[in-house]
Amino acid sequence: MMIPSSPWRRSRAASLPLLLLAMLFVVSNDAIAAEHVDHGSDGHGGMMPDHNHTDGNVTVEVVMEGWLYDMYCVNQEDGIAPDGSNTTFGIHDHMVGCMLLTQCMDSGYLLMQRSLTGMYFPTVKFTNSSTVVVAEWLSGYERGMSNVYVHAKGTITGDGLLNVTMLELKDAPMHYPADAMVLQYTYEGWLYDMYCFNQDDGIAPDGSNTTHGIPDHMVGCLLLQPCID
């Protein structure tokens, strides 16, 4: 099963052609309703090293968490998945039955997290070989079940993908409506464009690596017309 060549080809907002990618994190905010997370994570929906965490060339076993999602739906240009859920703000509404559609399984799976603005963003893609594991696990649940928040155990490949060996359903973090938050935040991260991020060979037009060389990406490349668009 092959993952589509351009996983994040669609910009989620036409007014924001250059996106700050999933590496961004909240630095400060004036007044935010606390996002309570008490599901055994690192407190940020991130990676929790397992007991076999090592350095060097030894395999690193990790547990990552987030909303389970598929690449086909995240790439819908109209922002609506086949099950009718919104692919920007409604990841928690995405149903098991949709993730088991042939086109969704063939596209591969990933984990998503929610920012304090209510928008969801990808955190890690799964390897092709993980698709069978995920599909079999999903098949054990009702097709109409949504809010599929999981702990995904596996190993990180050299390409930064998660090779999943086990999934466990968890209680999702509380969902705060937009009017419960003060939407004034400061973010920081490496500015990047979707054109370069979607390069099949992993190399941007300026020669930088789109997986491990984000800091090497140049302004001139960001200002190329395909990157702006």
Side-chain angles (χ1 to χ4, degrees):
M1 298 183 186
M2 297 299 294
I3 293 179
S5 60
S6 299
W8 279 282
R9 189 174 300 282
R10 172 177 55 80
S11 175
R12 290 190 177 277
S15 61
L16 297 174
L18 299 179
L19 301 182
L20 295 180
L21 301 177
M23 296 84 77
L24 308 185
F25 59 94
V26 178
V27 175
S28 66
N29 57 77
D30 296 327
I32 305 174
E35 294 231 5
H36 179 62
V37 179
D38 58 357
H39 39 270
S41 74
D42 61 357
H44 301 283
M47 181 186 300
M48 299 183 296
D50 205 350
H51 298 296
N52 295 328
H53 180 83
T54 54
D55 297 322
N57 295 322
V58 181
T59 299
V60 178
E61 191 171 66
V62 299
V63 177
M64 300 189 72
E65 65 179 280
W67 280 272
L68 188 62
Y69 212 67
D70 61 88
M71 300 300 301
Y72 177 81
C73 290
V74 83
N75 284 324
Q76 292 304 297
E77 294 182 357
D78 61 359
I80 303 297
D83 64 359
S85 60
N86 188 289
T87 62
T88 301
F89 297 99
I91 301 299
H92 54 281
D93 295 324
H94 197 224
M95 293 187 287
V96 168
C98 190
M99 287 188 276
L100 286 175
L101 294 175
T102 300
Q103 61 267 36
C104 298
M105 288 192 291
D106 288 347
S107 70
Y109 295 100
L110 70 159
L111 291 180
M112 305 282 282
Q113 276 293 343
R114 186 178 61 236
S115 71
L116 292 174
T117 63
M119 295 180 65
Y120 289 78
F121 58 90
T123 55
V124 65
K125 292 189 291 183
F126 295 171
T127 60
N128 289 347
S129 60
S130 299
T131 298
V132 173
V133 176
V134 176
E136 288 182 351
W137 181 84
L138 283 170
S139 297
Y141 292 92
E142 294 291 333
R143 297 299 190 267
M145 186 179 81
S146 60
N147 207 22
V148 186
Y149 194 89
V150 301
H151 279 185
K153 184 176 183 179
T155 55
I156 299 296
T157 69
D159 295 328
L161 305 179
L162 181 63
N163 190 43
V164 179
T165 57
M166 186 180 71
L167 289 169
E168 184 178 2
L169 188 66
K170 292 290 183 180
D171 291 334
M174 186 179 298
H175 178 70
Y176 290 98
D179 58 6
M181 299 180 293
V182 177
L183 301 180
Q184 296 180 359
Y185 311 104
T186 300
Y187 293 89
E188 69 176 26
W190 283 275
L191 186 64
Y192 213 67
D193 62 89
M194 299 305 299
Y195 177 80
C196 292
F197 192 69
N198 285 326
Q199 292 304 298
D200 292 339
D201 60 1
I203 302 298
D206 64 0
S208 61
N209 188 290
T210 62
T211 302
H212 302 288
I214 302 299
D216 300 324
H217 199 223
M218 293 187 287
V219 170
C221 192
L222 287 168
L223 288 175
L224 293 175
Q225 196 60 49
C227 301
I228 296 173
D229 293 341

